[in-house]
Each structure stands twice: as structure tokens, then as C-alpha cells.
Amino acid sequence: MDTLSSLQQLLNPQKIAVIGASKSKGKVGEIVFRRLMGSRRRLYPVNPKEIVIEGHKVLADIGSLPQDIDLAVITISAAAAVNAVEECAKKGIPNHIIVAGGFGEVGEEGRKLEQKLKNLTRKYNIRILGPNSLGIFLPDENIDTIFVEHGDKALDRKGKVACIVQSGSVGVEALGYASNTGYGMRAFVGLGNKCDLDEIDFLKYFDQDKKTNCLGFYLENIERGREFLDAAKKTTLKKPVVVLKAGMTETAVSAVSSHTGKLAGSDNVISGALKQFGIQRVYDDEEFCDATKVLSMLKQAPGNRVAVLTAAGGYGVMCTDFIEKDENRAPLKMAKLADATKQKIKEATFDFTACENPVDITASADDRMFSQSLDALIADDGVDIVICIAFFAPPGISENLIDIIAEKTNSSDKPVIVFTKYGPFTDNFIKNLYFAGVVGYPSVGRTVRAARFLVERARILKRLGQEE
Amino acid sequence: MDTLSSLQQLLNPQKIAVIGASKSKGKVGEIVFRRLMGSRRRLYPVNPKEIVIEGHKVLADIGSLPQDIDLAVITISAAAAVNAVEECAKKGIPNHIIVAGGFGEVGEEGRKLEQKLKNLTRKYNIRILGPNSLGIFLPDENIDTIFVEHGDKALDRKGKVACIVQSGSVGVEALGYASNTGYGMRAFVGLGNKCDLDEIDFLKYFDQDKKTNCLGFYLENIERGREFLDAAKKTTLKKPVVVLKAGMTETAVSAVSSHTGKLAGSDNVISGALKQFGIQRVYDDEEFCDATKVLSMLKQAPGNRVAVLTAAGGYGVMCTDFIEKDENRAPLKMAKLADATKQKIKEATFDFTACENPVDITASADDRMFSQSLDALIADDGVDIVICIAFFAPPGISENLIDIIAEKTNSSDKPVIVFTKYGPFTDNFIKNLYFAGVVGYPSVGRTVRAARFLVERARILKRLGQEE
């Protein structure tokens, strides 16, 4: 079977064995089995010490499994896991997820175990995700093998971002983080130690996946560097590829070495290469989520001229500061508004409205004024991106503003990004914006940075298009 | 009366008149009066249309007020407010807060009204805060005249930051923002249009205030620039002074002009000047809160060598990236750990612990191991600042970690800053850290930036000390 078909089977299995399934609350084998019970697939728990789990008859050993299992999720510890994989392989199970750590990342003994796993993949022609994998999560397929808490349902709204992460902790926290404020995830894959399947395999898979429109990677090392870059460059012509590559500095490189048992390449080289091949690099999980969110939800920016609409003057000014600040990623410009645009806004609002960009319709504004001013900005040919400052304190501004912005965002080709802040309710507002299809952030800096991700993407496409 | 005594009276008044106090839910005069009812001061509502508000007899006119009122909070609209101030002045009321907008910020008519206010301050020797002021809030004195929602009680824990903000919207959102994750505020002052009292007056006041240990300003223009700088330089030798000065770029300068009706100075000049005079500049309200929080809560950093302790390897690596990244504000270095330190950590944890900095004690660590490793890092003479990555997913790590870190932070001279993230519970953890006296942030980038604020502060003190 080729890799793409294997991954298809691994990510959307019909029959799943859970080696080490358990009834003991909090054990990895218990959590994974419980999560999979929501999948409506056929489950085969295996554990010599259990008889029945939640109505499922437990098999005493791997040998008792039927022949046509698609995936074995192996929740037992390192040395036992290696034996289990071999037994599963002998039963003809083609795909394996190994949760346990204690392999290459913990020294010589672990490295030997990991080598054994590698040998098994060749000997039996099987595929392994992990070891030390956090598991997989695909909301649309009801597949979830992640054994730690990973946030609420705000994730599974027909999301289109495929997140492929090497480190469990970072991955799961990015998940939780994203779920607090709304984030559309197509798939989450914990690569772990990558004894077999790695970022390139999943890059190629999600490149083809119709439900994915943006790929995000958290990587600590890239072993087949050139291959990854070549593949990513192909993907990036269709879908944005974002990489959080820890190990930017010299000290970080040696830290990575001790964390995953593999050496990261010289970071400057990696940084330059990522750029050249059209990959968008980010530096922590906040940036990772912010970038993939905006790239997944919004259309391409036609240019870099930004208009800012606000009912809170101070934020308009700060936003301008961030827009005009020199930034490595992609330069932005304050749009110069057409006279007709200014006239429309004045008519919709007040004589005294500051119609220069940023457009400050003041705290006396109401929903209608905001709406008509936004229309005018979107219609202006000199505007490529609109940043709305949705500030709910003015008495005339109501929560209907969310739907107003959503309607315009969803019917326009121009990206509209929202900055909002509302005391203790900020996260809820951003989540409500998300549910209405609007990209929102809770800080001025992050909102403007999101616009940069869009402009960076547009420039990448332009450059790669010219090279073709 | 000198300005300091006037401000003392304005910020801690015993008898307060509320001009325009109202029973109508949601009106400014209703909100302000309700807030002030919590102050346990004598209140004198004035409104010809009301008779009794919440058991307080309402006076029909300002002329009926007694002679010894300390402060009049004027909640009525612009033109009426000007007349009210004159009447109050005639009654001998020395201090006035004017809430209404509609003055200099809205054009010629408003500018004339504002000039009238200025004239009144001279004619009657009175002080005015505003117009267009959001009001004042001093948790310790139970004084709150802020007419918009501004977050929960997480603010009023013996806070030591004085926030002086020109723009209402930004100020109140910074308040709400801060309150979500814990923030100690000594005072909040909404300057508004500054027809009389301005940033310099409050700078000098909070310079002297024993309950304040850090001053934060949000300013859109600084009219008496040189005077502000000179005064701030004196203050900064005792207490950090942070300025969020909107109007960094050319376009922003003209935006400020339309927002407040005053012209901001050339921003490059301002930026250089702030630096020279030892003022720490920030660029949005997130940075504003992050900076004042860490500067207010932690002792000075003895140097710029940072040790990172983590149970989640990936975050350790990202943290290293941010620490070693070139940054304008203040360079940080990864500390080189002493052999004895590494030995202590190995003994407290595992043979395989990566004892190079960042110290990754792995997800197998427990509270005790974290605690002892932290001890070792704090004791290392080569370490100036410790960043703890408090990641609660590992089974051996419990919420007790918060108290463990707090105990060490509070008994050590070395600053300890925490990065934590825990799915949907992140904000609560940061708030719990705050209540335990620990500074925490929810992103790697922000945590490292906080360390830079401390180092920047130390360098300012060193430089200014040498100039003396």
C-alpha cells in the first residue's frame, strides 16, 4: 500500500484495536479508549487484566484479534509497546500509533528500542506514528486518540487547518489555546519521535486532502530537509504552509538535541530555506494559531494597503503605529482613502468624523454608522485589507456589530480582520466572531500581525508564480 | 493650595457632589452615583428632576450644596457642564471631574467650550480633571467614578501600579484585560482632554505616593514635553515609568491630531527622548499591562542571564529562541549553569535530565523535582532571572506547583517569571499565580518580553546612576 493510502486508513480507520485499553480512570489506555468510543467505529480492546470495558468484551491478547484491523493504538509502555507492535504486525495490522515515551529521547536504551521499531516497519511493511505521539484528532471523522484534555467544541466547526506537531505539550496547548477563542481544525497529528511516519508524509497527505486549506507544522528537527522543502513548495502554491520550527539559535539547537534525541540543523540555514521555499515561519504557539487561523479563514490580500475603522480613537492610533512599524515579515501601508469614500463616511456618520485613515467614527457612533463606514472602506479601490476595531463600550454599538461585520466579511473578497476587547468577555467575543465566520484577535499587535501573514502569503504566491 | 494637596483631595475626597446624578439605569449620572455609593463618603446628588436616589436626598441646584465639598463629579453634557463648573466654583468647590466629551476633540465649537473651562480654572483657582475623562478609580480608597464596566476584583489586591491614561477606551480595556489575569492597580486616572490637570501633575503626585511603586501612562500628546521628561527622570530613579505613547509614525501623528484635537510631536524625537530620560516605552495595551505588572511585582534583575526550567521540552526550546533573539529593548542571554547546579538537578530528578539550560526535567517530573530544580537555579550565581514553564499536563505535576513557585519567588531576590498554559483554564492559572504573588503570562513571547522589561529597567538605573 502506498503512503497516502496508509495514512487514509490510519486517519480514518474502521476497525481499531486499543492495546492496553483500561477501566482505570486516568490511565492512558482508559482515556484513549473512552475517546474512541465516540468514534462509532468497531473497537477491540486488548488487556489480559480486563474482561469488559463499557460493554466491550476485552481480548486477552493480540493474537485473539481478528485479521482486518486498520489501526492499533498502543497505549502501553516502551519495551512492551515494541513487542506489541511485532505481534500486531504478525496479525497483519498495517498501522500503529505508539503513545509511550521512553524511546530515543531518553538515551541509549531508548534509542535501541526505537531502532527496533524502525526495523519492524521494514520487516513487516507496517506504518508507525510515534513513538511518543500525542495521537490524532479529526473532528469531522469523530476520531480522537489524544490522551490529554484539549479544549472544547469550538474546534470542530468544519475547520480547515491541519496541525502536524512533533511535541505533545506544545501541540495540545496550541489546541486548548485555539479552542478558547475559536479555531477551525481539520486534523491534529502528534508526530512524536518520527521513527517512521514524519512531517513529509503528512504534508503530502494533507496537500491532497480536500477538507484542508492550510497546513501548520510544529517541528523540532527536519531530517529529510530538502525533501520537505520541495514538497512544501508544491503545497504552498495551493495552500499556505506555516512552520513553527523551534531551534532558532545556537543554544536552542543543543536544547532540541537533548529533547528529542536528534540534532536540529543550523537554524540560520533553516530560516533562509523556509523563506525561499515559500513557507511562513512563526516563533511560538500563539503566532502559530494566529497565523493558521487567519490564513485558513480569509481570502488572499490583494495588496498591503490597510484601512482601519474604529469607534475608539486611541486604538486606531495604536493600530496605525503597528501598521507603519518596520517589520521583517511583510510591510504594510496605511491606505489613502478616496475622496468619495470619505464623503460616504461623513454622510453616514458626523460632520466632525476624522475621515482620514484610521477612520475614527467616535464613541458617539452606532451600529448603522459602523456598518455603512465599513461598506465604504471595502468598496474603496485603494484599500486591500480592512481592520475593524470592534469596541462595544459606546452606547450606540451593540453586539449586533458581530453579525454586521460577519455579513460583510463573508460577502466580500477583501480580508476583514477584527480587533476586539471587552473586559472579561473578550475571549467570548472572539469566539462569537469566529462562529460568525470572522477572524478576531484580542490585541492590537496580534491583529496587525495577522494582516502581515496575509500579505506575506500574497507575496509568496507572487514570487513563486514568477519562478514557475 | 498646591497641586499635590489638590490632587490628594481630588483622589481621596470626603464630600462629593455628583452633578447630574440620576435614577435612570445606564445613564452616566446613575452609574457614577451608584459606584460612589460604595465609597462610604458623604454624597450630594444634584439634579432638578430627581427627589431621592437610593435614600439620598437630591438637591435641585448647585447653589443648594454646602460650602465644604471636596470634589464635584460632573456627569452632564458639554455646554451644561461648563456652566455647572462655574456654579460649583462659586460655591467654593476646589476640584472637578468632567466626564462629558464634545469639547476640543469635536471641532471649533468644542474648542471654545474647552477654552472656557481653562479660563474658569484661572478665574476661580480650581482644578479640573477632563473634560472627556473616564474618571478615577482607587481600590484602596474605595473611590470609583468610572462609568463603564471595568473588570472584576482581581484588580484590587493591594496593587501598586498607578495608571494614568489619556483615552478612555484604551484605559478601560487595559483595566478589563488586566483584571482577567490579575493585576495590581493602585490608581486609575482618566486624563481626558487635559484642559487643566495633566500627566505631569499626576506623575509628581504618584512619585510621592507611598502606595505606588510603578507608574504607567497612556498618552496621545505630551504638551509640556521637556517638563514631563525632567520629572519622569527623577521618578524613574525610584519607580519605573512606563509610557504607551500612541503616535509613533507620521500617519499616526495626524490621527492623534484628529482624535484629541491636539498635535502630537514628531514621534522619532519623542521616542529618543523617552529612552534618554529612562522611560520605558510600550506599544499597545497588552504590552502596557505586561510591563507594569512585572515591574511592579518583581525586584530588579541583577543581570541579563536567564535560566529556563521546564517539564515540557518544546516550550523550553521556544523560550530559548525568544531569549537569544535580537531585540531592541534589552539583550538577554541564556545563563551558563554551574556544574554544581547541574549536579543538584540531576540528583533531584533523573540521570537523563538535560541539565544544560534550558533545563528540561521532562514530563516524568513531579512537583518535588520541579521545586528542587528551581532551588538549584535560584542559588546559581550565574543566573539572574529564572523563567519557569509551569505546564500542568504531566501526571506528577499538580496545582501545588503554584504555591511552590510562589514560596520561592517571594523568598528570593531573583526575579522568577512564569509561563503557563492550560487549555481553557490558562487565564485562571495566571490569576491564581497572581494571587500567590507570582507574575505569569500565557505566551512564550510575552514571558520573555517581561524579562526584557526587567533588564531594561536595571540598565536604565545603572545608566542614570552613572550620570548623577
Side-chain angles (χ1 to χ4, degrees):
Chain A
M1 202 185 275
D2 66 9
T3 303
L4 285 191
S5 309
S6 289
L7 289 186
Q8 168 70 29
Q9 198 179 28
L10 184 145
L11 296 171
N12 195 6
Q14 298 311 310
K15 296 187 175 181
I16 309 169
V18 181
I19 315 303
S22 171
K23 270 197 309 210
S24 306
K25 199 84 187 159
K27 269 203 161 183
V28 173
E30 185 265 337
I31 302 172
V32 170
F33 192 75
R34 182 159 36 89
R35 290 266 157 78
L36 281 172
M37 281 178 42
S39 71
R40 287 170 261 155
R41 314 301 161 98
R42 290 204 64 173
L43 300 184
Y44 300 89
V46 177
N47 189 337
K49 293 177 193 151
E50 305 275 5
I51 292 163
V52 175
I53 303 176
E54 299 279 333
H56 288 75
K57 184 170 170 280
V58 181
L59 303 175
D61 51 46
I62 292 167
S64 310
L65 284 167
Q67 295 288 346
D68 54 349
I69 301 284
D70 299 312
L71 169 68
V73 183
I74 294 163
T75 69
I76 54 183
S77 62
V82 176
N83 294 332
V85 168
E86 179 144 28
E87 286 185 67
C88 286
K90 282 179 182 161
K91 282 300 280 192
I93 300 179
N95 300 296
H96 307 76
I97 297 176
I98 304 178
V99 170
F103 287 88
E105 79 280 12
V106 298
E108 195 45 36
E109 277 309 300
R111 265 193 290 279
K112 279 182 193 158
L113 285 175
E114 200 165 314
Q115 187 56 48
K116 279 191 189 168
L117 288 178
K118 275 190 194 164
N119 297 343
L120 291 176
T121 61
R122 284 186 214 115
K123 183 168 171 194
Y124 294 99
N125 194 25
I126 56 170
R127 307 314 305 251
I128 295 176
L129 177 63
N132 203 7
S133 162
L134 193 65
I136 57 174
F137 169 51
L138 293 93
D140 257 17
E141 330 291 358
N142 293 306
I143 291 290
D144 183 358
T145 78
I146 296 180
F147 60 95
V148 288
E149 180 59 54
H150 58 79
D152 72 10
K153 293 296 165 191
L155 291 166
D156 48 3
R157 298 266 311 177
K158 304 275 168 220
K160 291 178 180 162
V161 182
C163 294
I164 297 113
V165 306
Q166 189 166 349
S167 157
S169 58
V170 174
V172 75
E173 287 306 315
L175 270 165
Y177 177 84
S179 80
N180 289 346
T181 49
Y183 184 80
M185 193 169 285
R186 157 63 178 144
F188 178 92
V189 176
L191 292 175
N193 292 8
K194 309 191 286 192
C195 83
D196 174 32
L197 292 168
D198 69 6
E199 58 277 6
I200 300 175
D201 299 314
F202 288 97
L203 173 67
K204 289 181 176 167
Y205 180 81
F206 289 108
D207 172 280
Q208 295 294 315
D209 180 54
K210 289 201 170 53
K211 291 182 178 175
T212 298
N213 75 357
C214 175
L215 285 75
F217 292 85
Y218 169 63
L219 299 172
E220 295 175 348
N221 66 333
I222 307 178
E223 265 187 14
R224 300 185 281 154
R226 180 70 202 201
E227 224 177 305
F228 179 75
L229 293 171
D230 283 334
K233 188 172 171 181
K234 278 189 201 123
T235 301
T236 211
L237 287 165
K238 295 181 285 180
K239 307 173 182 184
V241 178
V242 172
V243 171
L244 170 56
K245 171 75 183 63
M248 198 169 72
T249 57
E250 230 175 284
T251 318
V253 168
S254 75
V256 168
S257 161
S258 66
H259 179 49
T260 65
K262 282 168 190 160
L263 198 73
S266 152
D267 199 80
N268 276 343
V269 175
I270 290 168
S271 209
L274 291 179
K275 199 169 175 187
Q276 188 192 330
F277 284 73
I279 298 167
Q280 298 184 253
R281 187 170 187 180
V282 291
Y283 291 92
D284 72 1
D285 45 353
E286 181 180 272
E287 274 195 51
F288 179 88
C289 292
D290 284 358
T292 47
K293 182 176 178 170
V294 71
L295 290 167
S296 160
M297 287 177 71
L298 291 185
K299 298 185 189 91
Q300 214 185 301
N304 69 346
R305 297 163 304 172
V306 184
V308 177
L309 176 60
T310 183
Y315 282 119
V317 176
M318 273 186 245
C319 208
T320 306
D321 282 351
F322 275 96
I323 287 168
E324 297 195 339
K325 223 173 171 175
D326 255 350
E327 269 280 340
N328 221 353
R329 189 173 297 280
L332 300 176
K333 272 196 281 205
M334 288 297 280
K336 208 172 146 34
L337 304 182
D339 289 338
T341 306
K342 295 183 202 174
Q343 192 51 38
K344 278 192 239 171
I345 295 172
K346 251 189 210 311
E347 279 164 20
T349 58
F350 309 103
D351 268 354
F352 59 76
T353 298
C355 283
E356 296 302 325
N357 188 16
V359 177
D360 177 9
I361 56 176
T362 81
S364 310
D366 61 22
D367 291 350
R368 181 194 53 77
M369 296 178 192
F370 201 102
S371 170
Q372 292 177 0
S373 303
L374 180 52
D375 279 336
L377 292 175
I378 290 176
D380 190 317
D381 285 338
V383 172
D384 299 313
I385 300 173
V386 180
I387 289 181
C388 283
I389 295 172
F391 185 60
F392 295 94
I397 301 284
S398 78
E399 297 187 19
N400 290 337
L401 192 58
I402 290 180
D403 290 328
I404 291 170
I405 297 173
E407 190 232 305
K408 295 183 199 311
T409 310
N410 298 327
S411 64
S412 158
D413 273 347
K414 279 186 195 164
V416 177
I417 308 174
V418 173
F419 161 66
T420 193
K421 192 165 263 190
Y422 197 29
F425 317 111
T426 300
D427 278 6
N428 273 336
F429 271 94
I430 293 177
K431 208 188 271 192
N432 290 343
L433 282 165
Y434 171 73
F435 285 134
V438 181
V439 181
Y441 299 98
S443 93
V444 178
R446 289 168 63 187
T447 307
V448 174
R449 191 171 67 186
R452 284 189 208 279
F453 289 128
L454 286 181
V455 171
E456 182 184 44
R457 167 81 183 143
R459 291 159 70 101
I460 286 169
L461 283 182
K462 197 174 163 203
R463 182 168 55 78
L464 295 186
Q466 284 164 349
E467 283 177 19
E468 290 281 286
Chain B
M1 202 185 276
D2 65 10
T3 303
L4 285 191
S5 309
S6 289
L7 289 186
Q8 169 69 30
Q9 196 181 29
L10 185 144
L11 296 170
N12 195 5
Q14 298 311 310
K15 296 188 176 181
I16 309 169
V18 181
I19 316 303
S22 171
K23 271 197 309 212
S24 305
K25 200 82 187 160
K27 268 203 162 182
V28 174
E30 185 266 337
I31 301 172
V32 170
F33 192 75
R34 183 158 35 90
R35 289 267 157 77
L36 281 172
M37 280 178 44
S39 70
R40 288 171 261 153
R41 315 299 160 99
R42 290 202 64 173
L43 301 184
Y44 300 88
V46 178
N47 189 337
K49 293 179 194 150
E50 305 275 4
I51 293 163
V52 176
I53 302 176
E54 300 277 334
H56 289 74
K57 183 170 169 281
V58 181
L59 303 175
D61 51 48
I62 292 167
S64 310
L65 284 168
Q67 294 290 345
D68 54 350
I69 301 285
D70 299 312
L71 169 68
V73 183
I74 294 162
T75 69
I76 54 183
S77 62
V82 176
N83 293 333
V85 168
E86 179 144 28
E87 287 184 66
C88 287
K90 284 180 181 160
K91 283 298 282 191
I93 301 179
N95 300 296
H96 307 76
I97 298 176
I98 304 178
V99 171
F103 288 89
E105 79 280 12
V106 299
E108 196 44 38
E109 278 308 300
R111 264 193 289 281
K112 279 183 194 156
L113 285 175
E114 201 165 313
Q115 187 55 49
K116 280 190 190 168
L117 287 178
K118 276 189 194 167
N119 297 344
L120 291 176
T121 62
R122 285 187 214 115
K123 182 168 173 194
Y124 294 98
N125 194 26
I126 55 170
R127 307 313 306 250
I128 294 176
L129 178 62
N132 203 7
S133 162
L134 193 65
I136 58 173
F137 169 50
L138 292 92
D140 258 18
E141 332 291 358
N142 292 306
I143 292 289
D144 183 357
T145 77
I146 296 181
F147 59 95
V148 288
E149 180 59 54
H150 58 80
D152 72 11
K153 292 296 164 190
L155 292 167
D156 48 5
R157 300 263 312 173
K158 304 274 167 220
K160 292 176 179 162
V161 182
C163 294
I164 297 113
V165 306
Q166 188 166 350
S167 157
S169 57
V170 172
V172 75
E173 286 307 315
L175 269 165
Y177 177 84
S179 81
N180 290 346
T181 50
Y183 183 80
M185 194 170 284
R186 158 63 179 143
F188 179 92
V189 176
L191 292 177
N193 292 10
K194 308 192 284 190
C195 84
D196 174 31
L197 292 167
D198 69 7
E199 58 277 6
I200 299 175
D201 300 314
F202 288 98
L203 174 67
K204 289 181 176 167
Y205 180 81
F206 288 107
D207 172 281
Q208 295 294 316
D209 182 55
K210 288 200 172 54
K211 291 182 177 174
T212 299
N213 75 357
C214 176
L215 286 76
F217 292 86
Y218 169 63
L219 299 173
E220 295 176 347
N221 67 332
I222 307 179
E223 265 188 13
R224 300 185 281 153
R226 181 67 202 202
E227 222 178 308
F228 180 75
L229 292 172
D230 283 334
K233 189 172 172 182
K234 277 188 202 125
T235 301
T236 210
L237 286 165
K238 296 181 285 179
K239 309 173 181 183
V241 178
V242 172
V243 171
L244 170 57
K245 170 75 183 63
M248 198 169 73
T249 56
E250 230 175 285
T251 318
V253 169
S254 74
V256 168
S257 161
S258 67
H259 180 48
T260 66
K262 284 168 190 159
L263 197 73
S266 153
D267 199 78
N268 276 344
V269 175
I270 290 169
S271 209
L274 292 179
K275 200 169 175 187
Q276 190 192 328
F277 283 73
I279 298 167
Q280 298 186 251
R281 186 168 189 181
V282 292
Y283 291 93
D284 70 3
D285 46 353
E286 181 179 272
E287 273 195 53
F288 179 88
C289 293
D290 284 358
T292 48
K293 182 176 179 170
V294 73
L295 290 167
S296 160
M297 288 177 71
L298 291 185
K299 298 186 188 91
Q300 214 185 301
N304 69 346
R305 298 162 303 172
V306 184
V308 177
L309 176 60
T310 183
Y315 282 118
V317 176
M318 273 187 245
C319 208
T320 306
D321 282 350
F322 275 97
I323 287 168
E324 298 197 336
K325 222 173 172 177
D326 256 350
E327 269 279 340
N328 222 354
R329 189 172 296 281
L332 300 175
K333 271 197 283 208
M334 287 297 280
K336 207 172 145 37
L337 303 183
D339 290 339
T341 306
K342 296 182 201 174
Q343 191 53 35
K344 279 193 238 170
I345 294 171
K346 252 190 208 310
E347 279 164 19
T349 58
F350 309 102
D351 269 355
F352 59 75
T353 298
C355 284
E356 296 302 326
N357 188 15
V359 177
D360 176 10
I361 57 176
T362 80
S364 309
D366 60 23
D367 290 350
R368 182 194 53 76
M369 297 178 191
F370 201 102
S371 170
Q372 293 177 0
S373 303
L374 180 52
D375 279 335
L377 292 176
I378 289 175
D380 190 318
D381 286 337
V383 172
D384 300 311
I385 300 171
V386 181
I387 289 180
C388 282
I389 296 171
F391 185 60
F392 296 94
I397 301 284
S398 78
E399 296 186 20
N400 291 334
L401 193 58
I402 289 181
D403 290 327
I404 291 170
I405 296 172
E407 191 232 305
K408 295 182 200 311
T409 309
N410 297 328
S411 64
S412 159
D413 273 347
K414 278 185 194 163
V416 177
I417 308 174
V418 173
F419 161 65
T420 192
K421 194 165 261 189
Y422 198 26
F425 316 111
T426 300
D427 277 5
N428 273 336
F429 272 93
I430 292 176
K431 209 188 271 192
N432 291 343
L433 283 165
Y434 171 73
F435 285 133
V438 181
V439 181
Y441 299 97
S443 93
V444 178
R446 288 169 63 186
T447 306
V448 174
R449 192 172 64 186
R452 284 189 207 280
F453 290 127
L454 287 181
V455 171
E456 183 184 43
R457 167 82 183 141
R459 291 159 70 101
I460 285 170
L461 284 181
K462 197 175 161 200
R463 182 166 56 77
L464 295 186
Q466 285 165 348
E467 283 177 20
E468 291 279 288

